[in-house]
């Protein structure tokens, strides 16, 4: 359970950093970070979180390449942060 909590904290840290940079500053580096998170998400068998992160990766990649929808990316980002926040609260 401690591994899970640390992992959720790690995702939360990334999300806070992106918020400070600004959602419009999403880059391919962020896509790489999220893809690394997906490996752990699959290990923990978190199907719904896997779906959220997959959508965030797809829209983020499009935005980083110049043809994405920032509002849709923000929506996926908010879902991710809400999931992480609730998960951390549940395990505390």
């Amino acid at each position: 359970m401690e591994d899970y909590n640390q992992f959720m904290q790690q995702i939360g840290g990334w999300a806070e950093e992106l918020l400070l940079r600004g959602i419009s500053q999403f880059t391919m580096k962020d896509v790489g970070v999220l893809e690394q998170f997906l490996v752990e998400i699959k290990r923990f068998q978190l199907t719904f979180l896997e779906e959220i992160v997959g959508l965030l990766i797809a829209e983020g990649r499009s935005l980083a390449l110049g043809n994405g929808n920032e509002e849709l990316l923000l929506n996926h980002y908010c879902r991710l942060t809400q999931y992480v926040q609730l998960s951390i609260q549940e395990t505390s």
Side-chain angles (χ1 to χ4, degrees), residues 1 19 22 40 43-44 46 57 67 69 71 76 79 89-90:
M1 190 61 111
L19 183 62
E40 285 296 302
R43 184 174 76 85
F44 286 115
L46 303 168
I57 288 171
N67 58 352
N69 181 330
E71 188 174 323
H76 298 318
R79 288 177 68 203
Q89 286 176 359
E90 285 290 314

Side-chain angles (χ1 to χ4, degrees), residues 22-82:
I23 298 295
S24 63
Q25 301 301 314
F26 193 96
T27 67
M28 290 304 291
K29 181 180 176 190
D30 295 305
V31 170
V33 170
L34 289 170
E35 287 173 339
Q36 290 174 353
F37 287 158
L38 265 183
V39 173
E40 285 296 302
I41 290 168
K42 289 177 182 179
R43 184 174 76 85
F44 286 115
Q45 299 177 347
L46 303 168
T47 309
F48 185 59
L49 183 57
E50 183 178 349
E51 178 185 330
I52 294 169
V53 171
L55 292 169
L56 189 58
I57 288 171
E59 195 57 44
R61 181 178 282 125
S62 292
L63 187 66
L65 296 174
N67 58 352
N69 181 330
E70 191 172 329
E71 188 174 323
L72 190 54
L73 181 72
L74 178 61
N75 183 33
H76 298 318
Y77 170 84
C78 288
R79 288 177 68 203
L80 174 68
T81 57
Q82 289 171 340

